[in-house]
Amino acid sequence: MATEGPKKVELGVYQRPEEEPRITATEMIAAVLSLVWLALTSGYFMIASSGSGPDDLASIRFVMILIAIFMPIAMIWVGALAVRASRTMREESRRLQAAISAMRQSYLSGQGGGTSNATVEKKLEEIAAAQRKTESTLAMFTSIRPGQTPPEDKLAIPAPMLVEEQASLALGTPSESLAPPLSVADFIKAMNFPETADDKEGFRALRRALSDRKVSQLIHAAQDVLTLLSQDGIYMDDLRPDRAKPEVWRRFAKGERGHAVAPLGGVRDRSSLALASARMKQDAIFRDAVHHFLRKFDKTFAEFEHSATDEEIAALTDTRTARGFMLLGRVTGTFD
């Protein structure tokens, strides 16, 4: 059985181009034309210059002879070089097209590996979610007490004594005073706002929170601020602030400021900080809304912290409202 010679491997732009001959047909034709032209013009001028003439005319005639002889030859070789360059460009274009086709085929054949990439990304997301869940669980373990009230039954904002409230009720009492107290679980869900239009549990918690006079003021202030921030492309879901320990939040609720509560400004997104800071300086309406929101959050959180566990504080600080507070608090220097 005869053995086949080595096959040529297509390597696209990395393929070694076929060596072209040093002298191609174009150069040979140009050389022949040059010799023919040189012979014709030399013979003509030798015959034509046999007669004598003045010296000035002789010098001019000599220059004209040189131009007539070498100018066409130069044009012939310029054309020859242009033809060779054009052929070289066509070869390079062919190799480039082959490389592009090879890359396209490689890309299409590699689409089968998209499943593995998606699997890896899914695993990474699950690991990140598990890490966030672990942090919340650790905070829960450090705050468990015997006989602790479940978040669903525990009040978010401790209300005055029921006897005093009932004594103050009279004809014409506002509906807010007759609404059931807001639980911690509903308060935290309301601070995060509904996830989607189909988040029935989130809207239920939001409606209950709006029935509470104090909490509703904070919700409206947060909604105004987050809407204004979204106009600059700043969304709370895109922020990943550094998580501060619950004891740092408790220090802030008790009135401490400065270095002790600096970890609360854990937002590191430079673009969001720069955009919010610039708007604070330029937009008076935005500035007033921010200061109003910061005051409401500070006051509400101070009341919430009295009876909240470390787990509940950690859950609250992971809401969209708390992220907005951390971003704007750092911009305004609240934690300095």
Side-chain angles (χ1 to χ4, degrees):
M1 180 177 179
T3 58
E4 297 182 358
K7 295 183 178 180
K8 181 180 178 182
V9 181
E10 294 291 337
L11 298 177
V13 292
Y14 300 105
Q15 176 185 347
R16 185 186 300 275
E18 299 179 358
E19 294 185 359
E20 297 181 356
R22 294 180 178 274
I23 300 177
T24 61
T26 304
E27 282 79 3
M28 295 180 63
I29 295 173
V32 171
L33 292 177
S34 300
L35 292 175
V36 171
W37 177 258
L38 184 61
L40 292 176
T41 54
S42 298
Y44 172 77
F45 284 110
M46 288 178 62
I47 296 173
S49 61
S50 58
S52 59
D55 294 337
D56 294 339
L57 294 177
S59 60
I60 294 175
R61 186 181 297 110
F62 179 74
V63 174
M64 295 297 295
I65 291 173
L66 292 178
I67 294 175
I69 293 175
F70 293 106
M71 181 65 73
I73 295 176
M75 296 300 296
I76 291 172
W77 281 101
V78 168
L81 293 177
V83 171
R84 183 166 186 169
S86 176
R87 184 173 59 255
T88 303
M89 292 178 64
R90 285 197 300 269
E91 292 295 328
E92 293 293 337
S93 177
R94 183 186 62 80
R95 286 196 297 272
L96 183 59
Q97 185 65 32
I100 294 174
S101 300
M103 291 173 64
R104 181 175 180 274
Q105 292 176 0
S106 176
Y107 174 77
L108 293 177
S109 62
Q111 289 297 312
T115 304
S116 60
N117 294 334
T119 304
V120 173
E121 293 180 358
K122 184 178 180 180
K123 292 293 184 183
L124 292 176
E125 292 178 358
E126 291 177 355
I127 292 173
Q131 183 178 3
R132 290 193 294 267
K133 185 177 180 180
T134 302
E135 293 176 354
S136 299
T137 305
L138 289 176
M140 177 184 67
F141 287 156
T142 59
S143 62
I144 290 180
R145 298 292 184 272
Q148 188 177 33
T149 305
E152 292 79 6
D153 302 331
K154 186 178 179 180
L155 299 183
I157 308 297
M161 297 299 294
L162 293 178
V163 177
E164 296 179 1
E165 287 189 356
Q166 291 176 357
S168 62
L169 293 179
L171 188 61
T173 301
S175 60
E176 292 83 357
S177 301
L178 300 176
L182 182 65
S183 66
V184 172
D186 289 339
F187 175 69
I188 294 174
K189 289 180 181 178
M191 289 297 99
N192 196 46
F193 294 99
E195 295 290 344
T196 61
D198 299 328
D199 187 5
K200 296 181 180 180
E201 190 66 20
F203 280 105
R204 183 191 62 80
L206 184 61
R207 285 193 297 269
R208 289 190 177 183
L210 291 174
S211 64
D212 187 286
R213 184 175 59 84
K214 294 181 180 180
V215 178
S216 65
Q217 294 176 358
L218 173 59
I219 290 176
H220 288 305
Q223 186 178 11
D224 293 340
V225 168
L226 297 185
T227 301
L228 292 173
L229 288 174
S230 66
Q231 294 176 358
D232 291 331
I234 304 174
Y235 300 96
M236 298 303 102
D237 291 343
D238 297 336
L239 301 181
R240 292 294 181 268
D242 298 339
R243 296 175 67 91
K245 296 181 179 180
E247 49 265 31
V248 179
W249 284 95
R250 293 187 187 278
R251 291 179 183 177
F252 178 80
K254 290 179 172 59
E256 292 190 31
R257 297 294 184 269
H259 182 72
V261 297
L264 299 185
V267 177
R268 307 296 181 187
D269 190 87
R270 295 184 178 180
S271 61
S272 299
L273 292 171
L275 290 171
S277 179
R279 190 162 186 179
M280 282 288 295
K281 297 177 182 178
Q282 301 173 1
D283 192 342
I285 297 177
F286 177 74
R287 184 166 57 250
D288 293 341
V290 168
H291 288 304
H292 177 67
F293 165 68
L294 294 178
R295 287 194 301 269
K296 290 298 180 183
F297 187 93
D298 188 358
K299 184 177 179 181
T300 305
F301 181 76
E303 297 180 6
F304 171 79
E305 181 270 336
H306 284 300
S307 59
T309 63
D310 289 351
E311 180 198 8
E312 292 163 354
I313 292 177
L316 176 64
T317 57
D318 198 30
T319 61
R320 295 184 177 95
T321 300
R323 291 179 187 178
F325 175 75
M326 286 186 278
L327 170 66
L328 298 174
R330 183 171 181 180
V331 169
T332 57
T334 303
F335 310 125
D336 297 339

